Structures are given as C-alpha cells and as structure tokens.
Amino acid sequence: MSTSEVSPSSASTDARNQGYGATLVLAAAIVWSFGGMLARLLDIDDGWTVIFWRSLFAALFLLVFMLLRDGVRGTWALFAGMGLPGLAVGLCFATASTSFILALAYTTVANVVLIQASVPLIAALMCRVLFGERIAAATWVAIAAVILGVGIMVSGSITGRVSPLGDALALLIAFAFATATVVTRRFSHVRMTPAVFTGTAIAGVVAASQATGFAVTAPELGILVIFGALNFGLGLALFVTGARLIPSALAALLGTAETVLAPLWVALFHGEVPGERTVVGGAIVLAALLCYLGREMWRQRRAALAA
C-alpha cells in the first residue's frame, strides 16, 4: 500500500475522534447555555463581583480536575508543556470573558450576541488565510444560516444607537474566541486545560482589581459555585478537549448552540416566554446545525466505508 493511502483502521479512528470531539464541544455549548438562567438568580449589582467569584470557582474546578486526573506531577507537566499556544488560548479566554462585561456597559446584549455569531465565520477565514485550509461549501452555507438565524433572534432588541467602543469590544470577543478555537485545533497535541485555568485566573485578577466589593449572601455563593465551577469551568474543559479533534469552523459552529438554548432555559425556569422572532431565528440556527452535523456524519461514514 502506498503512503498516500489511508488504512481502514486509520479512517475509522479519525471518524471516531471527530465524533467524540463534536460531542464534547456540543456538550460545552449546552453547559454554557445555562449561564443566562443562573445569572437571573443573582441579585448582585456589581458585575465585576460576579466575574471575580465565577472565575475563582472555575479556576478551582479546573485545578482540582487536573490534579485528580493527572496527579501533581502530571498537572505540573501540563503547565510546563502548554508553551506559547497555551498562553495564547488563556489570554484569549480571559479577554473574551472580561470584554463581555465591559461591552454590556456601552451596548445591548442583542448587539453583542449578533456580533458573536460571526465567530464561525472569523474562525473559517483565519484558517483559510493563515493556513490555507479549504473550507467546504456546506460549511459556508451553515455559517451564513447561523448568522441569519441569530440576526432574526435579536432583531427586535437591536438598537439604532451606534457605540463604537461597545461594538469594538463585542468584535474583540468574537476574535478572541475564534483565535482560541483555531489555536486549540492547530496545536492539537497540546492539552489546553491548564491554558483555560490560566485564562480564568487572569480574568479573576482583573475583576478583583475592579470590583467594589466581594460580599455575597450564602444562597448567592451557592449559585456562584455552580455558575463558576460547572457552567464556566466544566464548559471550558469540555470545549478545549473537543475543539482540538475537529475543524475550527465546526467547533465554532457547534458553540452557537448556546445562543439557541439559552432563551429556552430562561423560559423554563423563569417563565420568560421568548418572542416570535427568537423562536424563528432559533429554529433556523438549530436546523442549520443539525443539517450540517448530519451531513458530516454521513460524509465520515462514507469515507470510512470506502477506506
């Protein structure tokens, strides 16, 4: 057999890895989607206080997770081996989480969400321009459908007021998240759990320097533990573990499932029924994701059978 041929076992393993990676990234989006519902349970005026506690508990969760999984020596080896790619991913997530709070001070949630919908497009363009990675036509169609769907979802809340600073911060979030996704994929041999720990630690330090106080009630502390450890920390661990196994554009696309599911949890737990545009736009995004995933599964199965 020539070196250009792919063995059946290799093709099958690659298909399994991609399926595993897609499952993890989708699970991360589902975990993240509970963030809005959890935030509604908090009655804390200072957003920086929330960010501090959320980042702290996320960092503790990630550290304990690594210690239990890899032991002290293994965890130290992960930090030593993450290098510049890991530091870049950590800075990206710290930038994205911090910029989100700052952006909301100048523009609306709808504007931020709409700009964040461009993450798959930015990730695909980065892979194409920087690495010459070919992006399938179906991927471009799915990206366009997702942006359209999110646009419909938030169209009723988009303001005509232009805020250069707010929109620039929202765009910075999109670029930071897309960059983290691309770096995680390009350096798939690097375990990025210590990188996201670094990102949460940086975000916590920044928030601590800006917060007006740290006092919270016992019930709020319990919610913040879930908000930080499970919603933020577990979501990050799932995402960086899965994103290194699948194409960057696909990882970013799956991440948009958070936008669709978030209004659903708010409606179920807080009785806030989403508007017609939210339902229609969400249906478009969900249909685009399901169709794209179905096509990818069919394509990988055909490739495995052919091999």
Side-chain angles (χ1 to χ4, degrees), residues 12 74-75 80 99 120 136 142 153 178 191 206 212 239 248 266 301:
S12 177
T75 300
S99 297
M153 286 181 66
R191 301 280 286 276
V206 173
T212 57
F239 183 83
S248 302
V266 173
R301 183 171 178 79

Side-chain angles (χ1 to χ4, degrees), residues 117-168:
S118 64
V119 169
L121 176 61
I122 295 172
L125 289 175
M126 289 175 68
C127 289
R128 180 65 177 168
V129 173
L130 297 178
F131 308 109
E133 185 176 308
R134 181 180 175 275
I135 308 299
T139 303
W140 292 118
V141 172
I143 291 172
V146 165
I147 294 176
L148 172 64
V150 173
I152 294 174
M153 286 181 66
V154 302
S155 60
S157 303
I158 296 177
T159 65
R161 178 174 59 89
V162 176
S163 172
L165 181 56
D167 293 342

Side-chain angles (χ1 to χ4, degrees), residues 85-198:
L87 181 59
V89 169
L91 289 173
C92 283
F93 279 116
T95 300
S97 60
T98 304
S99 297
F100 181 76
I101 298 299
L102 297 177
L104 294 181
Y106 297 95
T107 188
T108 63
V109 175
N111 287 17
V112 174
V113 170
L114 181 58
I115 293 175
Q116 281 186 282
S118 64
V119 169
L121 176 61
I122 295 172
L125 289 175
M126 289 175 68
C127 289
R128 180 65 177 168
V129 173
L130 297 178
F131 308 109
E133 185 176 308
R134 181 180 175 275
I135 308 299
T139 303
W140 292 118
V141 172
I143 291 172
V146 165
I147 294 176
L148 172 64
V150 173
I152 294 174
M153 286 181 66
V154 302
S155 60
S157 303
I158 296 177
T159 65
R161 178 174 59 89
V162 176
S163 172
L165 181 56
D167 293 342
L169 287 169
L171 191 59
L172 179 60
I173 298 170
F175 268 102
F177 197 86
T179 302
T181 304
V182 172
V183 172
T184 299
R185 172 60 175 170
R186 298 303 298 185
F187 295 90
S188 58
H189 62 285
V190 178
R191 301 280 286 276
M192 291 298 180
T193 311
V196 291
F197 166 84
T198 303

Side-chain angles (χ1 to χ4, degrees), residues 286-302:
L286 187 60
L289 293 175
L290 291 176
C291 289
Y292 184 79
L293 284 176
R295 177 189 176 277
E296 284 297 301
M297 292 174 63
W298 173 78
R299 184 184 63 80
Q300 290 177 12
R301 183 171 178 79
R302 283 193 61 186

